[in-house]
Amino acid sequence: MRSTEELGASHGRRLLRGVLDDGREVFAKTGDASEVFASEAAGLRWLGEAIEVPEVVEVGPDRLVLSWVREEAPSAAAAERFGRSLARLHRSEAADFGAPWPGFIAELPMDNSPAPDWPAFYAIRRVLPFLRQARLPAADVALIERAVERFAEVAGPAEPPARIHGDLWNGNVLWSGGSGVLIDPAAHGGHRETDLAMLALFGLPYLDRVLGAYREEFPPAEGWRGRVPLHQLHPLLVHVVLFGGSYRDGLMNAVRAVLAL
């Protein structure tokens, strides 16, 4: 690189803005050798076949270098374009519920091994592993296990695996070029309602416009809004594991909503 600028750190990794010898601006993450860099690169390349993502410039055991995304203020028009792009992403094929690369969310490993259907994948690969790490009271664990037993019953109509971002909160959507650009994926073949539920969890500018345009392109199955808490169980459990009990109330509210479906 011709020059670098420190941008801080995230999950134990240095974040840098750099200029390459050929003048291209890039964003880099560096840290201890880890599969997380290759996993993110694989997910970005896969998503990039259908939606706007940064270009993977270089990936190694201890670094990931991406093209720089020039951010701009969000707008209603950009939100609508993003909603349509997200719908096209979800229409893209995924071979299985899962992915052929190791999964990560933040620094936490996720098992991307295929499962026969989405309720089984969600229970076995996403919710139960993080429940075991969350150190919740026994009564909470029992209630969550009851909810898991209902996944097949409350998951809605069966759908084929969709190509999803997998960690689609507000901070992983950059506004650029008149649309949303996806970063930091936990990409895998999953249920498309998972991405929609994650957008709603922490809010997104012009979310109503995003969802309106999405529904015009690829309407979700009837009752999808009622299933939002089901799809939020995993990210809320992840937050309990990463950040502790401050997310417990939100998690248990979602659990009770699933049990009430």
Side-chain angles (χ1 to χ4, degrees), residues 57-125:
V57 176
E58 182 185 32
V59 60
D62 60 353
R63 65 192 177 280
L64 176 63
V65 183
L66 306 173
S67 59
W68 184 260
V69 177
R70 292 185 178 275
E71 292 187 70
E72 60 195 23
S75 67
E80 291 173 5
R81 280 190 286 272
F82 175 58
R84 288 190 286 272
S85 295
L86 186 62
R88 289 193 294 274
L89 171 68
H90 289 167
R91 282 188 184 276
S92 301
E93 295 180 359
D96 300 290
F97 292 104
W101 52 78
F104 290 88
I105 189 162
E107 73 270 23
L108 301 177
M110 295 193 299
D111 187 352
N112 275 342
S113 302
D117 54 51
W118 182 77
F121 177 83
Y122 193 53
I124 298 167
R125 306 284 188 248

Side-chain angles (χ1 to χ4, degrees), residues 13-166:
R13 301 181 194 100
R14 292 174 64 204
L15 307 180
L16 302 163
R17 180 177 183 175
V19 179
L20 302 181
D21 289 342
D22 61 11
R24 285 180 293 166
E25 288 185 279
V26 294
F27 171 79
K29 298 180 182 181
T30 66
D32 294 336
S34 170
E35 290 183 297
V36 70
F37 298 110
S39 177
E40 182 176 341
L44 283 170
R45 288 168 171 150
W46 188 58
L47 297 178
E49 296 172 6
I51 198 171
E52 186 72 17
V53 299
E55 175 193 355
V56 178
V57 176
E58 182 185 32
V59 60
D62 60 353
R63 65 192 177 280
L64 176 63
V65 183
L66 306 173
S67 59
W68 184 260
V69 177
R70 292 185 178 275
E71 292 187 70
E72 60 195 23
S75 67
E80 291 173 5
R81 280 190 286 272
F82 175 58
R84 288 190 286 272
S85 295
L86 186 62
R88 289 193 294 274
L89 171 68
H90 289 167
R91 282 188 184 276
S92 301
E93 295 180 359
D96 300 290
F97 292 104
W101 52 78
F104 290 88
I105 189 162
E107 73 270 23
L108 301 177
M110 295 193 299
D111 187 352
N112 275 342
S113 302
D117 54 51
W118 182 77
F121 177 83
Y122 193 53
I124 298 167
R125 306 284 188 248
R126 292 296 181 262
V127 173
L128 291 176
F130 289 90
L131 177 58
R132 289 191 285 270
Q133 299 175 57
R135 298 183 180 180
L136 290 165
D140 290 357
V141 172
L143 208 61
I144 294 169
E145 289 174 340
R146 279 180 52 199
V148 170
E149 291 172 358
R150 298 201 65 212
F151 282 0
E153 179 185 349
V154 302
E159 293 195 357
R163 200 174 297 213
I164 70 170
H165 179 281

